[in-house]
Amino acid sequence: MLIALLADTAIMGFFASRVKLSYEFTSAVPTDNPKYIEYQNFRKQFGEDGNLMVIGVQSEKFFTADFFNDYARLVGDVSKVKSVENVLSIPGAVTLIKDTATSKLKVVPIAGVPPFSNVDSIRNVFMSLPIYKGFLYNPETHAYMMAVRIDRDVLNSKDRSQVINDIVSLGDAFGKSHGIEMHYSGLPLIRTQMAMKVQSEMKLFLIMSFVLTAVILVIFFRSFTAVLASMLVVAIGVIWSVGTIVMLGYKITLLTALIPPLVVVIGIPNCVYLLNRYHYEYRRNPNKMKSLLQMVDRMGIVTFFTNLTAAIGFGVFFFTKSTLLKEFGLVAGINIIALFFISLVFIPAFFSFLPPPKVKHTKYLESGLINGVLTKVTNWVFSHRNSIYTFTAIVCGFAIWGMMRLKNDAHIVDDLPRSDKVSIDLKFFEKNFRGVMPLEIVVDTRKKRGVVTGLQVIRKMDEVAAMLESYPEIGKPISIASGIKFASQAYFGGDSSYYSVPGDFGAAFLQPYLSGKKDTGNSIFNRLLLSFIDSTKQKARISVSMADVGSRKLPVLLDSIRPKVYSIFDSSKYTVTFTGTSITFLEGSRFIVDSLRDSLIFAFLIIFGCMVALFRSWRILLISIIVNIVPLLITAGLMGWVGIRIKPSTVLVFSVALGITIDVTIRFLINFKQELVRHDDSIADTVHRTIHDTGLSIIYTSLILIAGFGVFMLSQFDGTKSLGYLTSITLFLAMLTNLTLLPALLLWMDQVIEKKNRAADFLLGEDENDVIKIAD
């Protein structure tokens, strides 16, 4: 069996070696979601909206000769980076000039070829062009921006890290030479930075979880072989989990990266319970093989059901429509069940070849500290049950009050701390350029060439753009109307007062450009205009960069914008669609939170269905529900009081915690059920014995789980940190409720059953004195 297990592990190791990182950003949204479909249609018609990286500087000496020439060289160097398609910048900006002979518009570079000696004249020409104001520069804050468009195929591959790093290195070198801070943002950079952090943290968490659990096991068991066996079990589990990701055709995402450390954290309790039972049985009967058989006999069913419920807690995510959650749920569920088979095969087989445990290996069973704590807990349970009920009720009341303060809000860079360079730079662009998050508004005229037939649609688009600019969260809109206004200014001698959509009589010069004819003498400007409309000229786009306002404020903002847009574009004649990465993020965040909520309810139903099948008692079911809801309720209340917002990473805590905390309840109750027969169905005696028999393992495994999830608090992602400390808090509360509230409720059940039996005896006339007792 060991050979077969190791052979399977070698196969899974082969697949694990081929694991890859995922670079997708919208996989949280199901593919049949209307918002997702609209976004994919937009990408087919207009191309990628999330492949623009921006570089910002802030300096009053921007238009000095040395600075401007060095900046121009930086633009040239960035444009030469592999996979950079084009760079839009001030040194590379163009203007339009009317050819007096042909009256056609020509595209002319503002600056020309570096080095530049006439920087002042370049500045004057550039500042006279309103099309660039608020887009490439902010005159009030002296902030300047460079927009770098990157090949979208590279952005979905491992090569993008190199591309982004090369661009950042060039920018940092320029900043260092001039003593200024460089700012970088845009979805390519944000996604790449997050992917790189995920990759590095996955290794860190694996190492930390292994080291931490090994140290705790050494303290508990004081046995090298016990620690080695436990580490081998979880190491096999980790290899299987990564191999499963590859075999299912998945990649490492922010969620699936958590699975290997979770396998370590969840796998160790299996080993602790099995070894604890082995040592317990060996101390009672010093026969190694019989003790191993007793271990499997007594703990096999317990371990199976605890792993099953944990697998259900994670596995229910597979039944959501989110690809991100499906992958996480399926891989986690499969490998938690696999941990049961790995531990149940490896531990007995491994220890069957080793000498029996020595006295020092089982000495922890007589731990004075832990047994003293358990004795006090037992006394408290038997003597102060009403105090336990009252205290629990009061705490739950405050928790419900705190839950009413919870707020649902998530941001695109929500998981990164505010002190992170990515977050700081994002705020720079929001302050100076109103943000960099893409929002697209698509206007469908419902007829071919509807956009370019006259200027009516273009005027309406310009009206929408002016309305959008009135919002402080929205940057300068760019559309075909921007190009028409640019052309109008050039046609009328470069006067900025003519930067507007011309009237019908003054727009005859625009028709060759709008029709897409090749005899305009300027294919560059022609392509620029046509990039904002589809091939049939039926649809046009308004591209907007906006601030990362969050999932709570974005719907309010869009609800404010939509009526104004619909008042300009009559819905009976036009179809207006709001899409882009910002919209899909909002939809994905909302969908994940809703899915996690629904999956939590689903997990409750399935897990407690298992409890009914296992114990066949509605009272046991009721007790289990109460004991496991209380920790979740208190954690949710704590989130409300502390101000932790509801978002995907924090909602995930409850499903994860439920799947793990119910394990403790099942272990306690199965041990209680097994001991009940030995104590002649005396619930009070059985509760007393069960607290001491399982309490040691519950405390040990809870401490391991708390420490294991505590590792996640070292994460750079706030969401992963939240998962770490909120889950640790919930597990600690679950340990307390399972050692105090659970036995107290079992004693309550004993009283109820005893009164019921006495009433039955009285009705049968077996003991007339019971009437006095019942009355009392």
Side-chain angles (χ1 to χ4, degrees):
M1 292 180 74
L2 280 175
I3 291 171
L5 181 64
L6 294 175
D8 289 339
T9 303
I11 294 171
M12 297 301 283
F14 168 74
F15 284 103
S17 65
R18 305 173 70 180
V19 71
K20 296 179 181 178
L21 276 173
S22 170
Y23 298 96
E24 288 296 321
F25 196 69
T26 56
S27 56
V29 186
T31 54
D32 61 349
N33 183 282
K35 299 294 183 184
Y36 180 84
I37 294 172
E38 289 173 354
Y39 179 60
Q40 295 306 316
N41 289 336
F42 168 83
R43 292 174 66 185
K44 288 178 183 177
Q45 293 166 349
F46 297 102
E48 185 68 49
D49 75 322
N51 63 338
L52 197 68
M53 176 181 172
V54 291
I55 304 173
V57 296
Q58 191 169 19
S59 174
E60 294 184 5
K61 59 179 183 179
F62 185 86
F63 283 102
T64 59
D66 290 343
F67 192 99
F68 191 80
N69 278 291
D70 286 349
Y71 188 81
R73 277 190 285 273
L74 172 63
V75 172
D77 292 339
V78 169
S79 64
K80 294 175 184 176
V81 172
K82 185 180 178 182
S83 303
V84 170
E85 294 180 339
N86 55 68
V87 180
L88 181 58
S89 66
I90 294 175
V94 297
T95 186
L96 295 174
I97 297 177
K98 184 174 72 172
D99 189 326
T100 54
T102 62
S103 294
K104 293 180 179 179
L105 299 176
K106 297 189 299 181
V107 175
V108 178
I110 293 175
V113 181
F116 309 110
S117 56
N118 57 337
V119 176
D120 287 338
S121 63
I122 293 173
R123 179 186 183 280
N124 293 335
V125 173
F126 184 78
M127 293 297 179
S128 69
L129 301 173
I131 191 171
Y132 295 116
K133 184 178 179 181
F135 179 54
L136 288 183
Y137 75 101
N138 184 330
E140 284 111 21
T141 61
H142 301 286
Y144 303 89
M145 184 170 72
M146 178 195 312
V148 183
R149 191 169 297 279
I150 303 171
D151 183 358
R152 65 178 181 178
D153 292 331
V154 172
L155 291 178
N156 291 326
S157 72
K158 63 180 181 180
D159 296 331
R160 76 172 181 181
S161 297
Q162 186 62 48
V163 174
I164 298 297
N165 289 337
D166 288 347
I167 294 172
V168 171
S169 297
L170 291 170
D172 286 345
F174 170 81
K176 185 177 181 180
S177 65
H178 287 274
I180 60 169
E181 183 180 4
M182 302 297 291
H183 302 276
Y184 311 95
S185 194
L187 289 179
L189 177 114
I190 293 172
R191 295 173 184 175
T192 301
Q193 292 285 349
M194 292 185 75
M196 291 169 64
K197 291 177 190 293
V198 167
Q199 189 176 29
S200 62
E201 285 194 352
M202 182 178 173
K203 297 175 183 177
L204 172 66
F205 291 158
L206 264 178
I207 295 170
M208 288 295 295
S209 58
F210 266 103
V211 171
L212 194 59
T213 50
V215 170
I216 295 174
L217 287 172
V218 168
I219 294 173
F220 286 169
F221 292 118
R222 302 183 185 277
S223 167
F224 172 76
T225 53
V227 175
L228 177 63
S230 302
M231 291 295 100
L232 288 174
V233 166
V234 293
I236 292 171
V238 167
I239 293 170
W240 281 37
S241 66
V242 180
T244 305
I245 292 173
V246 177
M247 289 181 70
L248 293 174
Y250 301 156
K251 296 179 180 179
I252 294 292
T253 64
L254 186 59
L255 277 182
T256 53
L258 298 177
I259 293 176
L262 282 174
V263 166
V264 176
V265 173
I266 296 172
I268 287 296
N270 282 2
C271 303
V272 171
Y273 276 107
L274 289 170
L275 290 173
N276 179 247
R277 176 55 64 173
Y278 171 47
H279 293 156
Y280 177 79
E281 295 293 341
Y282 185 80
R283 193 177 65 166
R284 289 177 58 189
N285 180 13
N287 184 308
K288 182 182 73 172
M289 296 308 294
K290 284 186 177 180
S291 298
L292 289 172
L293 289 172
Q294 282 293 316
M295 173 190 75
V296 174
D297 182 54
R298 296 296 300 276
M299 299 307 298
I301 187 69
V302 181
T303 306
F304 172 73
F305 269 99
T306 53
N307 280 52
L308 178 63
T309 53
I312 290 171
F314 290 93
V316 289
F317 297 144
F318 177 73
F319 298 101
T320 67
K321 291 184 178 180
S322 169
T323 304
L324 200 65
L325 289 176
K326 274 180 175 289
E327 293 178 3
F328 176 72
L330 184 59
V331 175
I334 289 173
N335 285 283
I336 290 171
I337 289 294
L339 277 172
F340 163 72
F341 294 101
I342 293 170
S343 57
L344 204 65
V345 168
F346 187 84
I347 298 258
F350 182 76
F351 279 92
S352 69
F353 291 106
L354 297 178
K358 298 177 181 178
V359 174
K360 67 176 182 178
H361 298 153
T362 60
K363 193 174 182 180
Y364 72 94
L365 295 171
E366 302 170 357
S367 170
L369 177 63
I370 300 296
N371 285 315
V373 170
L374 292 175
T375 299
K376 289 182 180 179
V377 168
T378 305
N379 294 335
W380 186 265
V381 167
F382 276 84
S383 305
H384 302 88
R385 290 204 304 277
N386 290 333
S387 299
I388 293 173
Y389 301 149
T390 303
F391 180 75
T392 302
I394 292 172
V395 172
C396 287
F398 275 99
I400 293 171
W401 190 3
M403 285 177 62
M404 297 171 66
R405 300 163 59 95
L406 284 171
K407 296 178 181 178
N408 187 345
D409 193 19
H411 295 256
I412 290 181
V413 293
D414 208 16
D415 284 338
L416 291 174
R418 293 180 180 179
S419 59
D420 189 271
K421 172 70 172 170
V422 174
S423 297
I424 293 172
D425 285 352
L426 181 61
K427 292 301 178 185
F428 169 85
F429 288 101
E430 289 180 354
K431 178 182 177 182
N432 293 285
F433 300 98
R434 301 188 183 182
V436 294
M437 297 303 168
L439 172 66
E440 300 285 346
I441 301 174
V442 180
V443 178
D444 185 354
T445 62
R446 301 180 185 173
K447 56 185 178 181
K448 290 184 177 182
R449 300 186 59 81
V451 176
V452 298
T453 302
L455 296 177
Q456 181 182 3
V457 173
I458 294 174
R459 288 197 191 94
K460 288 179 179 291
M461 295 183 73
D462 189 43
E463 191 177 345
V464 169
M467 179 270 295
L468 291 173
E469 281 194 273
S470 67
Y471 288 87
E473 305 89 352
I474 295 179
K476 183 167 185 172
I478 302 293
S479 68
I480 187 174
S482 307
I484 294 299
K485 290 157 67 176
F486 190 27
S488 175
Q489 178 184 356
Y491 192 80
F492 292 101
D495 188 345
S496 60
S497 64
Y498 284 95
Y499 183 73
S500 61
V501 179
D504 291 336
F505 293 104
F509 76 96
L510 292 171
Q511 286 306 316
Y513 302 100
L514 295 174
S515 63
K517 292 181 179 179
K518 296 182 179 179
D519 59 352
T520 58
N522 197 335
S523 60
I524 297 177
F525 178 61
N526 203 42
R527 287 200 305 270
L528 178 65
L529 289 179
L530 297 181
S531 66
F532 289 97
I533 57 179
D534 72 336
S535 59
T536 64
K537 301 180 178 63
Q538 177 177 319
K539 298 178 181 179
R541 64 189 278 199
I542 302 174
S543 297
V544 176
S545 293
M546 63 179 298
D548 183 15
V549 296
S551 61
R552 188 182 181 194
K553 190 175 179 180
L554 183 56
V556 177
L557 182 64
L558 294 176
D559 288 342
S560 171
I561 293 172
R562 282 192 181 97
K564 297 177 182 179
V565 174
Y566 294 149
S567 68
I568 297 171
F569 285 102
D570 187 351
S571 58
S572 64
K573 298 178 182 179
Y574 305 95
T575 301
V576 180
T577 304
F578 289 78
T579 187
T581 305
S582 296
I583 301 293
T584 53
F585 162 75
L586 169 66
E587 191 69 13
S589 177
R590 181 195 63 79
F591 186 83
I592 286 178
V593 171
D594 291 346
S595 296
L596 288 170
R597 179 200 62 208
D598 296 341
S599 63
L600 180 61
I601 296 171
F602 191 32
F604 257 107
L605 295 175
I606 296 177
I607 288 172
F608 291 117
C610 293
M611 300 287 284
V612 171
L614 189 61
F615 298 107
R616 302 184 183 277
S617 168
W618 67 268
R619 290 189 179 91
I620 292 290
L621 175 63
L622 178 62
I623 290 171
S624 301
I625 292 174
I626 293 172
V627 169
N628 285 278
I629 281 182
V630 168
L632 300 179
L633 194 66
I634 295 173
T635 301
L638 183 64
M639 287 171 58
W641 285 114
V642 176
I644 299 173
R645 292 170 283 118
I646 290 289
K647 52 185 179 179
S649 54
T650 53
V651 178
L652 182 66
V653 169
F654 298 100
S655 292
V656 171
L658 175 64
I660 296 174
T661 58
I662 196 70
D663 292 1
V664 181
T665 305
I666 290 177
R667 291 185 191 275
F668 190 100
L669 289 175
I670 288 181
N671 192 275
F672 170 80
K673 186 178 179 181
Q674 292 172 341
E675 293 291 333
L676 193 60
V677 179
R678 298 183 180 184
H679 292 85
D680 299 323
D681 292 335
S682 171
I683 291 179
D685 291 343
T686 307
V687 167
H688 190 284
R689 184 69 261 163
T690 304
I691 291 175
H692 281 270
D693 282 355
T694 62
L696 186 69
S697 297
I698 287 173
I699 292 174
Y700 282 176
T701 54
S702 295
L703 291 176
I704 289 172
L705 287 167
I706 290 167
F709 277 98
V711 169
F712 294 143
M713 288 189 282
L714 299 174
S715 173
Q716 300 176 69
F717 298 106
D718 284 346
T720 309
K721 283 182 181 177
S722 298
L723 178 66
Y725 66 76
L726 288 175
T727 305
S728 296
I729 291 171
T730 308
L731 294 174
F732 178 74
L733 293 169
M735 179 184 73
L736 295 181
T737 56
N738 278 284
L739 288 176
T740 56
L741 186 60
L742 175 57
L745 290 172
L746 289 173
L747 291 175
W748 161 80
M749 183 178 73
D750 183 32
Q751 286 185 328
V752 172
I753 294 173
E754 186 178 349
K755 286 184 178 181
K756 186 176 179 181
N757 291 337
R758 288 180 180 177
D761 290 343
F762 168 70
L763 292 174
L764 292 172
E766 294 180 7
D767 190 352
E768 295 179 1
N769 292 327
D770 279 349
V771 70
I772 300 173
K773 297 178 182 177
I774 292 171
D776 289 340

